Amino acid sequence: MITIPINWMFIFLIGIISNIRIQLSKGVIKTKFLNLKKLHGEYNKALKSVELVSVSDIKKMRETGTPFFLLVGRKTCLDCRDFLPLLVSENKSSKKKLYYLDVEKDLEKNRNYAKNNLKIEFLPTFLKFNKNGKIDKYNHSIENDTIGQEKIRIQEFLAKEEK
């Protein structure tokens, strides 16, 4: 069991109430004011550039052995709302077909599949399914990368050849 000091809980609750993202990174508290209206608009625009899929769709695609890219996230996840527009923007040059599994839809089924079959530990997670059945994972890093570094890592992941 994790014990959280009351002052940390207070800081966390204030962040939720006031639309501030609070992160603890290497012992330093970082805050980021969120423009939720802008974030919501960018996310919805980016959502139009991906194909929403279900667990059964993913199973079928895996059976065919066709390589594909899948983002696993949920609409209410702030990191997912940050990452999807960035991913869609960086994919414009490579024009890869992107699929999106929203684990909030049919929550229990999708969450269990993502956790047990895809070994997803946190959201968002971007996956590349190779024709030989291998899954490569890209982990979105909000605390260690600048936006420029993240863009480069996304481009490299999209361009990475199968092994």
Side-chain angles (χ1 to χ4, degrees), residues 4 34 36 43 49 51 55 63 70 91 94 102 115 119 122 134 137 140 145 151 156:
I4 300 173
L34 301 174
L36 294 180
Y43 175 84
S49 300
E51 185 175 328
V55 167
E63 287 172 6
L70 174 71
N91 185 48
S94 64
D102 184 346
K115 184 178 178 184
K119 307 297 184 218
F122 55 88
K134 183 177 178 238
K137 274 187 193 176
H140 171 54
D145 286 353
K151 287 179 177 184
E156 288 171 350

Side-chain angles (χ1 to χ4, degrees), residues 43-72:
Y43 175 84
N44 285 335
K45 183 179 175 186
L47 203 53
K48 294 175 184 174
S49 300
V50 297
E51 185 175 328
L52 296 174
V53 292
S54 66
V55 167
S56 59
D57 294 330
I58 295 168
K59 288 177 181 177
K60 288 176 192 169
M61 289 189 293
R62 290 184 80 181
E63 287 172 6
T64 66
T66 305
F68 64 96
F69 289 92
L70 174 71
L71 176 62
V72 181

Side-chain angles (χ1 to χ4, degrees), residues 69-126:
F69 289 92
L70 174 71
L71 176 62
V72 181
R74 69 183 200 295
K75 189 174 186 174
T76 57
C77 164
L78 289 176
D79 291 332
C80 300
R81 294 173 86 72
D82 275 345
F83 184 69
L84 180 61
L86 183 61
L87 174 62
V88 167
S89 172
E90 293 310 306
N91 185 48
K92 285 182 181 173
S93 61
S94 64
K95 295 182 172 81
K96 305 279 187 185
K97 178 89 172 166
L98 302 176
Y99 297 95
Y100 184 72
L101 175 66
D102 184 346
V103 294
E104 239 168 22
K105 294 182 179 178
D106 198 2
L107 184 63
E108 200 60 38
K109 179 180 174 184
N110 289 343
R111 184 179 288 164
N112 287 339
Y113 182 79
K115 184 178 178 184
N116 299 327
N117 296 79
L118 303 178
K119 307 297 184 218
I120 292 177
E121 299 168 13
F122 55 88
L123 300 176
T125 298
F126 186 45

